[in-house]
Amino acid sequence: MTSVSPCASSSREMNEFLDAHPDTQYVDLLISDMNGVVRGKRIERASLHKVYEKGINLPASLFALDINGSTVESTGLGLDIGDADRVCHPIPGTLSDEPWQKRPTAQLLMTMHELDGAPFFADPREVLRQVVAKFDALGLDICAAFELEFYLIDQDNLNGRPQPPRSPLSGKRPQSTQVYLIDDLDEYADCLQDMLEAAKEQGLPADAIVKESAPAQFEVNLHHVADPLKACDYAILLKRLIKNVAYDHEMDTTFMAKPYPGQAGNGLHVHISLLDKKTGKNIFANADPLQSDALRHAIGGVLETMPASMAFLCPNINSYRRFGAQFYVPNAPSWGLDNRTVAVRVPTDSSDNVRIEHRVAGADANPYLMLAAILAGIHHGLTQQVEPGAPIEGNSYEQLEQSLPNNLRDALRALDDSEVLNQYISPDYIDIFVACKESELAEFEVSISDLEYNWYLHTV
C-alpha cells in the first residue's frame, strides 16, 4: 500500500482556513488515546503545510498509555518494538480555531497510520472504522448523536475532594439537585454560553445545555450526524472545548463517572438510527416500533453483547460507582419504549425518528470504542436476527436483578471471552486494551485508601 497523500480538498481546506485566520500563530495537532485523553504536538503556523503533505510522527505506544500517561509494556507497543514511530495524518473537516487561547491558535484532529499508509490497528478511531465498514455490506449508513454530562467544579478542592464552584452571579455554591432548573443555568450563564458559542465557532453541532441531576452538573447535546466517526470526533473535541472554556472562567470541569458519593454520575448517552443508503430512509421508522423487525433485532444484538461490552462502556475503576436505581443508570440488559429506567430506550416522539438511545456508558468512556462495541452488537443482532424479548414497562429496577458486570475486572474478563466482539474488534486490540486496564487495576489494588486507615489503623 502506498503512503497516504493529502487530497486536493484537504489542502484547499487548509489554505482557506489560513487565509481566513491570518493571525493564527500555532496549531495544536490532536489525537485521542485509548482513554479518550487528547495528546499530540503544537506546531507553528508555517509548518502546517508539511503536516498536510507528510503527516507527523508519533510513537505507536501512544495507544498503550494508562490513565496516567505511562506506557504499559505488556501491550507490546513500547520497548518491544523500540518505541517506534508511526505517522499521523489530518482528519478532513477538523481544522478550526481555539477561541479560548490568548495567542491565536488553531487545532487539527489526527489519526495514526503505518509507515506504508495502512491505518494503524490500535487507533480507537480505526477500531470504530472497522466495525462501521461492516454496515456498508448491508447497504446501511449510521446516524449517531451523543449527549455528554459533566460537572463544573471549583479550581480549589476541599480536603482533596471536588466541590461545586461558587456562582459568579450569587457567590453561592449550589447544594440541591434541581434538575432542568433554568435559574441554575443563569448562575453560570456566561461560562455555559461561551461553551455554545465556542462550539459554533469550531463547527461542533452543539446548541443546547440543560441542568442535570446534581449541583453544577450539566448536559450538552450534539446534533445527529450521518457519520459515526465524525460524531465521535465531535464528542472528543467538545470535551476539550468544555474544559478549556471553563478554565477561562476560573472554573474546572470533570467528566469522571462518579465524582461525588450520593450524587448522580456523568453519563454518555448515544442515539443511533440506521439509514438505507439508496433511499436515505430510517429503517427503524414505524408507527408501531414493536413491529419493526430491524429495530427489534438491533436491540436484541445490543442486549446480548452488553455484558461483554461493559469494559468499553465503563472503562475505569470509578465507572462502576455510577450505577444505582436512584440515578437512572441501568444495571441489567433491558429495553423499553420511552422508558428511562432501561438500558436501551426507544424514544416514541415521532414514527419517522424511531431510534435507539443507549444509556449505559459513562462520560469517562472513549466515544470511538464505546460506539464500536454498540454497533458490533447492532450488526450482530441484524445479521443473526436476535430477538430482544418483551420491552419493559414501568420501573425496570423493580423487575430485573443486576446482571451486568459491576466491576472492571469482571468486565475485562467478559470482553476477553466474548466470541462475538472478537469477530468485530481485533483480538490484538482487545489484548492491548485489557493489558492497559489490568495494569491500572494492579496499581489500584496495591494502594491503601484513606478509608482503610480510618477503619483499621488504630482499631485492629
Side-chain angles (χ1 to χ4, degrees):
M1 181 179 293
T2 58
S3 61
V4 176
S5 60
C7 64
S9 60
S10 295
S11 297
R12 184 165 58 250
E13 173 191 348
M14 175 192 64
N15 291 327
E16 289 176 354
F17 179 87
L18 294 177
D19 289 345
H21 298 81
D23 296 332
T24 296
Q25 298 177 20
Y26 304 100
V27 182
D28 289 339
L29 307 177
L30 312 175
I31 193 161
S32 172
D33 73 5
M34 175 184 293
N35 291 294
V37 175
V38 174
R39 304 187 186 275
K41 294 182 177 181
R42 176 168 292 172
I43 63 169
E44 293 186 341
R45 173 193 178 101
S47 299
L48 187 58
H49 289 85
K50 186 184 298 183
V51 172
Y52 273 86
E53 291 171 7
K54 298 180 178 179
I56 61 163
N57 289 339
L58 287 171
S61 59
L62 185 147
F63 295 117
L65 301 179
D66 64 15
I67 195 65
N68 294 310
S70 299
T71 301
V72 177
E73 292 297 341
S74 58
T75 62
L77 292 183
L79 297 179
D80 285 354
I81 59 171
D83 205 19
D85 280 342
R86 299 295 188 273
V87 61
C88 300
H89 291 283
I91 297 172
T94 63
L95 180 59
S96 63
D97 193 29
E98 294 180 350
W100 56 83
Q101 296 282 8
K102 293 180 180 178
R103 294 179 177 84
T105 304
Q107 67 180 27
L108 178 62
L109 204 56
M110 314 288 285
T111 187
M112 187 174 283
H113 295 257
E114 297 283 4
L115 298 181
D116 66 358
F120 185 58
F121 82 102
D123 185 336
R125 198 175 192 271
E126 172 62 14
V127 173
L128 173 59
R129 192 192 68 80
Q130 293 278 358
V131 178
V132 170
K134 293 182 180 295
F135 284 81
D136 291 338
L138 301 181
L140 297 174
D141 287 324
I142 301 159
C143 196
F146 286 95
E147 299 173 350
L148 185 62
E149 294 175 345
F150 67 96
Y151 277 92
L152 288 174
I153 57 176
D154 203 304
Q155 290 185 333
D156 295 323
N157 59 44
L158 180 65
N159 299 322
R161 302 295 178 92
Q163 60 178 338
R166 293 190 182 277
S167 160
L169 184 65
S170 67
K172 299 177 181 178
R173 297 190 196 278
Q175 300 294 327
S176 57
T177 299
Q178 302 295 1
V179 65
Y180 295 119
L181 186 67
I182 293 294
D183 288 349
D184 274 15
L185 295 178
D186 291 339
E187 296 284 352
Y188 303 99
D190 287 346
C191 178
L192 299 175
Q193 191 59 40
D194 281 354
M195 289 177 184
L196 291 179
E197 290 178 3
K200 183 178 181 180
E201 187 170 342
Q202 290 195 327
L204 306 181
D207 66 353
I209 294 182
V210 298
K211 173 66 177 62
E212 268 298 334
S213 302
Q217 187 191 33
F218 301 93
E219 177 185 274
V220 181
N221 298 327
L222 285 160
H223 278 306
H224 63 272
V225 56
D227 181 341
L229 293 167
K230 185 175 289 187
C232 293
D233 294 341
Y234 288 155
I236 289 289
L237 294 176
L238 179 63
K239 216 169 170 181
R240 183 170 187 261
L241 178 154
I242 288 170
K243 291 179 180 181
N244 282 284
V245 171
Y247 292 152
D248 269 359
H249 288 265
E250 299 183 343
M251 287 182 276
D252 208 339
T253 54
T254 183
F255 295 87
M256 185 177 178
K258 187 75 167 180
Y260 296 111
Q263 296 287 359
N266 287 319
L268 180 61
H269 298 174
V270 63
H271 293 249
I272 301 170
S273 55
L274 300 178
L275 311 179
D276 184 287
K277 283 182 178 292
K278 294 181 179 179
T279 65
K281 292 184 178 179
N282 177 7
I283 70 167
F284 295 157
N286 198 304
D288 180 1
L290 295 178
Q291 300 304 312
S292 170
D293 291 343
L295 177 67
R296 291 198 325 275
H297 294 156
I299 292 172
V302 169
L303 299 185
E304 184 179 306
T305 57
M306 190 173 288
S309 301
M310 284 295 285
F312 288 143
L313 306 176
C314 301
N316 299 305
I317 295 163
N318 175 262
S319 305
Y320 297 86
R321 303 191 191 282
R322 175 173 151 263
F323 288 81
Q326 71 272 35
F327 299 121
Y328 288 91
V329 185
N331 53 25
S334 56
W335 76 289
L337 304 179
D338 200 21
N339 185 338
R340 286 185 169 85
T341 72
V342 297
V344 176
R345 170 178 173 256
V346 178
T348 57
D349 53 328
S350 167
S351 60
D352 293 331
N353 198 26
V354 176
R355 61 195 184 276
I356 288 172
E357 181 190 3
H358 195 287
R359 299 175 53 81
V360 178
D364 56 338
N366 182 316
Y368 302 109
L369 299 178
M370 164 195 169
L371 192 54
I374 295 170
L375 292 177
I378 289 175
H379 189 277
H380 170 70
L382 290 174
T383 56
Q384 302 303 312
Q385 299 184 343
V386 180
E387 288 290 345
I392 297 291
E393 297 182 7
N395 189 345
S396 71
Y397 302 106
E398 295 178 350
Q399 301 175 51
L400 300 173
E401 293 185 1
Q402 177 176 328
S403 60
L404 291 172
N406 64 1
N407 63 85
L408 182 57
R409 187 172 297 283
D410 286 346
L412 292 172
R413 287 171 178 155
L415 171 62
D416 212 15
D417 293 341
S418 173
E419 293 183 6
V420 174
L421 287 189
N422 274 266
Q423 295 172 11
Y424 287 88
I425 297 172
S426 165
D428 290 339
Y429 183 76
I430 290 177
D431 287 346
I432 289 171
F433 182 88
V434 171
C436 282
K437 292 301 170 181
E438 285 183 340
S439 175
E440 291 176 14
L441 268 171
E443 185 173 348
F444 178 83
E445 288 172 350
V446 298
S447 67
I448 301 174
S449 67
D450 290 343
L451 189 59
E452 289 173 87
Y453 285 120
N454 291 337
W455 281 5
Y456 306 125
L457 187 62
H458 298 293
T459 57
V460 296

